[in-house]
Amino acid sequence: MRILVFGAGVLGSQLAVRLHEAGRDVVLLARGERLAALRRHGVRLTEDDGPAVRAVPVPVVDHPGGDYDLTVVLVRAHQVDAVLESLAPTGGDVLFMLNWAAGPGPLGAALGHERVLLGFGAFGGTMDGDVVRARRAGAVTRRVPIPVGEPGGRSTPRLERIIRTFRSAGINARHEPRAAAWLTTHAAFEVPLGRAVHAAGGPVALAADPAAVRSMIRDIRRSLAALPGPPVPRAFDALHTVPEALLVPAFRAFLRSRTAVHSGLSDTSPSAAAEYDRLADQLRAVGLPG
Ligand SMILES: NC(=O)C1=CN([C@@H]2O[C@H](COP(=O)(O)OP(=O)(O)OC[C@H]3O[C@@H](n4cnc5c(N)ncnc54)[C@H](OP(=O)(O)O)[C@@H]3O)[C@@H](O)[C@H]2O)C=CC1
Ligand SMILES: CC(C)(CO)C(=O)C(=O)O
């Protein structure tokens, strides 16, 4: 299977490295200074705050033409329109593994509905210059599955092949029959979370302000309560049933944890803010507060 990873940021770079090191035929698509840096050194990466940066020579391209069986898109939600334009004339399956709450419809309308699959790159990290700081897998995060699914929910040979390929690279991929609902639930949680973190200046700064954490929890609850169906996974129901007096310290501990600190929540760049704005628009379009 020839694989193109579209987007050479935190998650795209990690996915490409894992597939490359597992011996898969994978190419990473980048642009601008990132492309120049990757051509110079390959992907430079380390774990968490570790000093031991290694360079992995993943092949790099600057355009998506080249007969790939699978393109995995790992850009931010507000960057998807341009990606759709550049992928429209190409062929092959396209797996979107980003935060996205608009369902498969607009993706299929641009590319052909039969080409689209949905998923989420549930591994974390941050960029430090041109070094990717991948979040080291812990006892819990190691077990968190990477959901992938067909828009219609069924299992298909191409989906099974993708899951097998990812697993062969140590990626804990799992078939998610309700991938679109999973992504909408995640966005309903992540938009109020991410915006509160941005307003505070980072996850640790938010943790230091219990009133802001309480207000964020109320926003998350309002957002999840407005979902058109039950949350996916149902574990999100706990955010309604667990009393606020317990949720505030639990969220404060999470915000100080390695899981949050070594994740996109620590990215307070304009691009991260623009993604929350786009996701909020998508949520409002399906009746959530956004
Ligand atoms: N980082 C994390 O811990 C997590 C991230 N996510 C989600 O995963 C998705 C990807 O996140 P992440 O990897 O952190 O994001 P990044 O911003 O680090 O990476 C996106 C990359 O895609 C590139 N890109 C965007 N559009 C194009 C284009 N048209 N052509 C070429 N390159 C392009 C960007 O380039 P440029 O910089 O030039 O715009 C950037 O290098 C997001 O939806 C995010 O919310 C989910 C869980 C955790
Ligand atoms: C921590 C959080 C909620 C935000 O990026 C996340 O989705 C992840 O890293 O998997």
Side-chain angles (χ1 to χ4, degrees), residues 107-131:
L107 310 172
L111 298 181
H113 296 285
E114 71 294 346
R115 293 180 66 191
V116 172
L117 297 108
L118 297 173
F120 187 75
F123 32 92
T126 54
M127 262 344 254
D128 178 5
D130 70 347
V131 175

Side-chain angles (χ1 to χ4, degrees), residues 65-283:
D67 267 346
Y68 300 98
D69 302 299
L70 176 69
T71 298
V72 186
V73 180
L74 277 155
V75 302
R76 292 183 174 275
H78 66 286
Q79 299 175 319
V80 164
D81 294 345
V83 173
L84 292 175
E85 221 170 280
S86 78
L87 286 179
T90 68
D93 297 325
V94 185
L95 169 60
F96 292 84
M97 287 191 76
L98 46 111
N99 265 306
W100 184 256
L107 310 172
L111 298 181
H113 296 285
E114 71 294 346
R115 293 180 66 191
V116 172
L117 297 108
L118 297 173
F120 187 75
F123 32 92
T126 54
M127 262 344 254
D128 178 5
D130 70 347
V131 175
V132 177
R133 294 197 170 273
R135 181 172 65 205
R136 185 163 40 82
V140 177
T141 50
R142 184 173 291 114
R143 279 197 282 275
V144 173
I146 305 279
V148 281
E150 292 281 357
R154 65 203 186 287
S155 181
T156 57
R158 69 173 180 173
L159 180 62
E160 284 162 21
R161 194 163 168 227
I162 291 168
I163 290 174
R164 269 200 313 277
T165 303
F166 280 10
R167 286 190 179 161
S168 75
I171 297 162
N172 183 16
R174 195 200 62 191
H175 175 204
E176 172 51 71
R178 295 155 302 168
W182 191 105
L183 287 166
T184 305
T185 304
H186 191 269
F189 169 77
E190 174 114 15
V191 169
L193 170 68
R195 284 184 152 171
V197 167
H198 262 237
V204 175
L206 178 59
D209 183 348
V213 172
R214 193 171 305 110
S215 158
M216 175 198 73
I217 290 168
R218 290 177 186 171
D219 288 344
I220 292 175
R221 283 178 154 173
R222 266 194 294 277
S223 182
L224 290 171
L227 283 169
V232 179
R234 287 306 291 256
F236 277 97
D237 277 334
L239 293 175
H240 295 296
T241 53
V242 175
E244 198 176 271
L246 295 180
L247 283 179
V248 171
F251 266 95
R252 293 181 74 199
F254 165 71
L255 289 163
R256 290 194 194 97
S257 70
R258 274 195 331 101
T259 303
V261 169
H262 294 288
S263 83
L265 290 175
S266 286
D267 180 351
T268 49
S269 69
S271 185
E275 175 167 60
Y276 293 130
D277 289 347
R278 176 58 62 89
L279 290 168
D281 289 346
Q282 295 179 341
L283 291 172

